Structures are given as structure tokens and as C-alpha cells.
């Protein structure tokens, strides 16, 4: 297994660690500053999430730079991304930090586009990531970080950045999904060839 794929596998292995700090009731103290309160669990989970999310660009860069692009990497990289984002978003629903409908919209889009990509692969076509797909990823990561750290430092300004970021992530996610289907509608053949 090459370096790029090891980094991708490391991202997958960080998912249960993040979930442990978010969901297991470990008695770590809270940091309390006026109206703001956050547990050390959340801080640790947020830091691990940031490290894991940053490896997404790193493994791709290494794979292209060192000519280490493999079929395993093409399979694992999007899987790692989806596992990371899905696991943390579901955890945030459990923690009552984000509305379930936003998470359902995001996860539905991810699986719909994954299905479209699988159909394209069967046809021998590789669907490249679009600029809106990259914007979607950035919006989701931004929203997740804001939710993980309880909207810090915007809490002190009484500005709901976490809510706005969540809505923005949902809207950009839907738009990027629609764009994928419109641009790749030729991949889906509704005619019966039997």
C-alpha cells in the first residue's frame, strides 16, 4: 500500500475516534466563558476532524505528484470522505446540534452522486469533481467545524454562523448534486435494452 492510500486509510481510522469523543460520555470538564460552554471532548473531536479533513487534499496531492494513483485509492478516497462527513453529521444530530433534515439532504445527495458515479464507471466514464463539488466539501467542513466548537467565536457576537453555515452547506450540496446529474444525464439510460 502506497503513502497516499495509507493517508486515506488513516482518515477512515480516525472516524471512530472522533465519534468516541463526541458520543461516549467521558467526564471531561467544560470550558465556560460567560455564555459560551464547550467540553474538552468536543475540542478534541474538532481537532481530530480538522486533521482528518485536511488529509483529503494531502493524499490526492501526494498520489498525483508521485504518480501513485491507484484503483484502490480511487475507491477509498471518496469512501473515506463520505464516512467522515456522514459519521460526524449523524453524531451532531444525536447531540442535537444540527437539524436532522439537513443531514438527510446532505447524505442523500452523497449517495445519489455515488450511484451516478458507479453507473458512469460501468459505462467506462470517470466523473471528475466539479468546482461546485469542491465548494460543497468546503461548505460541509466549515459547517461541521462551527457546529463542533459551538459556534466559537461567533457566540460572543450573537451571530448564528453555525446555523448559516449549515444552511449554506445544505444549499450548496443540493445545487452541486443537481449539477452532477444535469452534466452527466447522458450516463443514465432509461430505455429498456432487453
Amino acid at each position: 500500500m502506497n503513502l497516499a492510500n495509507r493517508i486515506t486509510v488513516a482518515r477512515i481510522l480516525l472516524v471512530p475516534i472522533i465519534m468516541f469523543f463526541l458520543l461516549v460520555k467521558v467526564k471531561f470538564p467544560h470550558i465556560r466563558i460567560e455564555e459560551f460552554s464547550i467540553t474538552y471532548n468536543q475540542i478534541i473531536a474538532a481537532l481530530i476532524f480538522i486533521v482528518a479533513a485536511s488529509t483529503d487534499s494531502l493524499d490526492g496531492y501526494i498520489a498525483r505528484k508521485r504518480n501513485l494513483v491507484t484503483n484502490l485509492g480511487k475507491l477509498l478516497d471518496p469512501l473515506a470522505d463520505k464516512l467522515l462527513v456522514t459519521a460526524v453529521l449523524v453524531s451532531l444530530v444525536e447531540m442535537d446540534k444540527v437539524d436532522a433534515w439537513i443531514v438527510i439532504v446532505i447524505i442523500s445527495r452523497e449517495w445519489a452522486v455515488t450511484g451516478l458515479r458507479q453507473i458512469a464507471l460501468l459505462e467506462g466514464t470517470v466523473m471528475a469533481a466539479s468546482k461546485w463539488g469542491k465548494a460543497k466539501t468546503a461548505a460541509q467542513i466549515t459547517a461541521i467545524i462551527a457546529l463542533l466548537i459551538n459556534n466559537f467565536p461567533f457566540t460572543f457576537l450573537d451571530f448564528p454562523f453555525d446555523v448559516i453555515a449549515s444552511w449554506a452547506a445544505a444549499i450548496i450540496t443540493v445545487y452541486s448534486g443537481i449539477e452532477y446529474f444535469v452534466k452527466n444525464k447522458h450516463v443514465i439510460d432509461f430505455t429498456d435494452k432487453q
Side-chain angles (χ1 to χ4, degrees):
M1 186 179 294
N2 65 42
L3 177 60
N5 290 343
R6 284 184 187 146
I7 293 170
T8 304
V9 169
R11 185 160 72 253
I12 293 170
L13 295 176
L14 288 175
V15 171
I17 297 170
I18 295 168
M19 292 185 70
F20 171 82
F21 282 105
L22 289 178
L23 299 177
V24 175
K25 304 300 182 206
V26 180
K27 293 293 183 186
F28 286 120
H30 282 67
I31 297 173
R32 295 188 193 283
I33 307 168
E34 296 175 20
E35 300 295 318
F36 179 76
S37 177
I38 188 168
T39 64
Y40 284 105
N41 305 48
Q42 286 174 260
I43 294 170
I44 293 167
L47 291 173
I48 297 171
F49 176 80
I50 292 166
V51 168
S54 66
T55 65
D56 182 29
S57 299
L58 180 63
D59 61 6
Y61 173 78
I62 289 172
R64 288 185 298 277
K65 183 82 171 170
R66 297 185 182 180
N67 200 22
L68 299 173
V69 177
T70 64
N71 287 333
L72 179 63
K74 289 177 188 176
L75 171 73
L76 286 180
D77 187 59
L79 176 65
D81 298 341
K82 284 171 184 44
L83 284 172
L84 179 65
V85 169
T86 301
V88 175
L89 284 174
V90 170
S91 299
L92 289 167
V93 169
E94 171 69 18
M95 296 167 67
D96 202 26
K97 292 195 172 291
V98 65
D99 291 335
W101 73 265
I102 289 177
V103 174
I104 292 168
V105 164
I106 290 171
I107 293 172
S108 298
R109 180 267 184 211
E110 295 301 335
W111 290 112
V113 171
T114 297
L116 181 63
R117 283 188 165 166
Q118 292 302 315
I119 293 169
L121 280 176
L122 291 173
E123 302 283 325
T125 306
V126 176
M127 288 173 45
S130 70
K131 67 177 183 181
W132 280 104
K134 292 176 183 177
K136 176 265 312 177
T137 301
Q140 288 176 359
I141 289 170
T142 301
I144 288 169
I145 292 169
L147 292 163
L148 284 174
I149 61 173
N150 292 354
N151 200 37
F152 180 81
F154 300 100
T155 299
F156 300 116
L157 305 172
D158 201 28
F159 181 71
F161 177 78
D162 55 348
V163 174
I164 294 168
S166 300
W167 274 78
I171 291 166
I172 294 169
T173 297
V174 169
Y175 182 84
S176 71
I178 291 169
E179 182 202 38
Y180 267 109
F181 277 87
V182 169
K183 281 188 175 179
N184 298 285
K185 62 185 174 199
H186 63 279
V187 170
I188 303 172
D189 184 6
F190 291 105
T191 61
D192 188 8
K193 294 183 180 179
Q194 294 182 7

